[in-house]
Amino acid sequence: MKIKKIVALVLALALMCALAACGGGSGSETDSNRTDNANSGSETVYTVTIGHAAAEDLAQHQCALAIKEYLEENGNGRFNVSVYPNSQLGANREMTEAVLEGNLTMLLTSSGTQTNFVPSSAVFDVPFVWADEAAMEKTIYDKDFLAALNAEHEAAGFRLVMLTHSSFRQLSAKKPIHTPADCKNLVIRTQENNFQMKTWELLGANPTPLAYNEVYTALQQGTVEAQDNPLELFTAQKFYEQQKFFIRTNYLGYVGMWIMNNDFYQSLPDDLREIFDAACEAGLARNEEYAETSNAEKIQLIQDHGLEVIDLT
């Protein structure tokens, strides 16, 4: 008798789940990214939202715009794409959680945030791995490398769509730096990242973690005397107004991780998935082209503001 009651309970629960599934509740991870046209016979239109923390004049935003343009021009009206720069949808961690929940389709993030969700992303925080951009590109564009890292992302609910870069994180300071010995006791702002802090500690500096939006004031007030950032972020925040030397250390690749909700990606029909992949290739090409031109202009900008650019041997 007891077994019959258990079976009846299981069947009742199964029926409830089936009814709930038929109802198409709003709790589905991909429902917020998918809408139907007004006519019942029309095909599904997929809403794609792309978020990132970069400013509009940076390579990352141009990459996102290229993805939007390609999807809308080649998707036969079946993609509706919106891009939100400048952390409009929250900080990287908040946006990453939104991707997991299906409330944001795609995000450009960095290893600094992504290691909290996929620990192996910390591979990009290993210092002095690449001597130049060609060496970096050989790694991040390698299909086997991307597939291996994507497998770990998929296990966490993401899809790692692609990797981009905007050159390297570089050092700036109020004094010249030519050798590791020059870093002794250098008070340098870093991200709150154990790998980066340990790197500067081993070089003899005093790393001080600060939020990105606090760096300019800290340099101005002398709380810190140095910082490291990619060139485009260095100029975007006008850090050159508070520094005298820009040292091209190439110590850490500035790699962008483009992640998206894996359930949404897998829900796309085969033809639209191919279009989506091609759109990301178009975004990658735009990122490369824009970053190369932009970095040359930005070096000239900081030199015009009186900074000495130091290239290390």
Side-chain angles (χ1 to χ4, degrees), residues 1-10:
M1 192 69 181
K2 185 176 180 182
I3 294 176
K4 289 183 179 179
K5 288 183 179 180
I6 293 174
V7 171
L9 179 60
V10 171

Side-chain angles (χ1 to χ4, degrees), residues 125-234:
D125 291 321
V126 179
F128 301 109
V129 171
W130 299 302
D132 51 34
E133 291 185 20
M136 181 178 4
E137 291 175 357
K138 185 176 180 181
T139 299
I140 67 173
Y141 297 162
D142 183 89
K143 292 182 179 179
D144 291 335
F145 175 75
L146 187 61
L149 197 54
N150 177 55
E152 301 201 9
H153 275 71
E154 287 188 345
F158 301 101
R159 179 173 182 80
L160 179 61
V161 179
M162 62 179 174
L163 300 170
T164 59
H165 79 88
S166 296
S167 194
F168 291 87
R169 297 185 70 90
Q170 310 288 20
L171 174 66
S172 72
K174 293 185 177 180
K175 67 175 187 177
I177 304 292
H178 292 280
T179 69
D182 295 331
C183 293
K184 186 174 177 60
N185 298 323
L186 182 72
V187 182
I188 178 174
R189 175 269 173 181
T190 67
Q191 291 181 303
E192 194 170 351
N193 178 298
N194 290 335
F195 291 93
Q196 295 178 27
M197 293 173 66
K198 189 65 177 180
T199 297
W200 290 110
E201 181 183 319
L202 290 170
L203 287 168
N206 294 326
T208 303
L210 287 173
Y212 178 60
N213 60 1
E214 298 175 4
V215 178
Y216 186 94
T217 301
L219 292 171
Q220 186 179 46
Q221 295 178 348
T223 307
V224 297
E225 56 184 329
Q227 64 84 51
D228 81 274
N229 258 304
L231 176 60
E232 61 180 13
L233 297 186
F234 180 78

Side-chain angles (χ1 to χ4, degrees), residues 80-154:
N80 180 21
V81 188
S82 299
V83 179
Y84 298 93
N86 286 316
S87 300
Q88 291 179 25
L89 302 180
N92 273 338
R93 187 182 183 95
E94 294 171 314
M95 288 192 284
T96 305
E97 291 170 349
V99 170
L100 267 183
E101 294 164 359
N103 298 321
L104 178 64
T105 314
M106 179 182 284
L107 167 67
L108 164 68
T109 187
S110 67
S111 59
T113 300
Q114 198 61 8
T115 51
N116 296 303
F117 300 87
V118 183
S120 56
S121 299
V123 67
F124 297 116
D125 291 321
V126 179
F128 301 109
V129 171
W130 299 302
D132 51 34
E133 291 185 20
M136 181 178 4
E137 291 175 357
K138 185 176 180 181
T139 299
I140 67 173
Y141 297 162
D142 183 89
K143 292 182 179 179
D144 291 335
F145 175 75
L146 187 61
L149 197 54
N150 177 55
E152 301 201 9
H153 275 71
E154 287 188 345

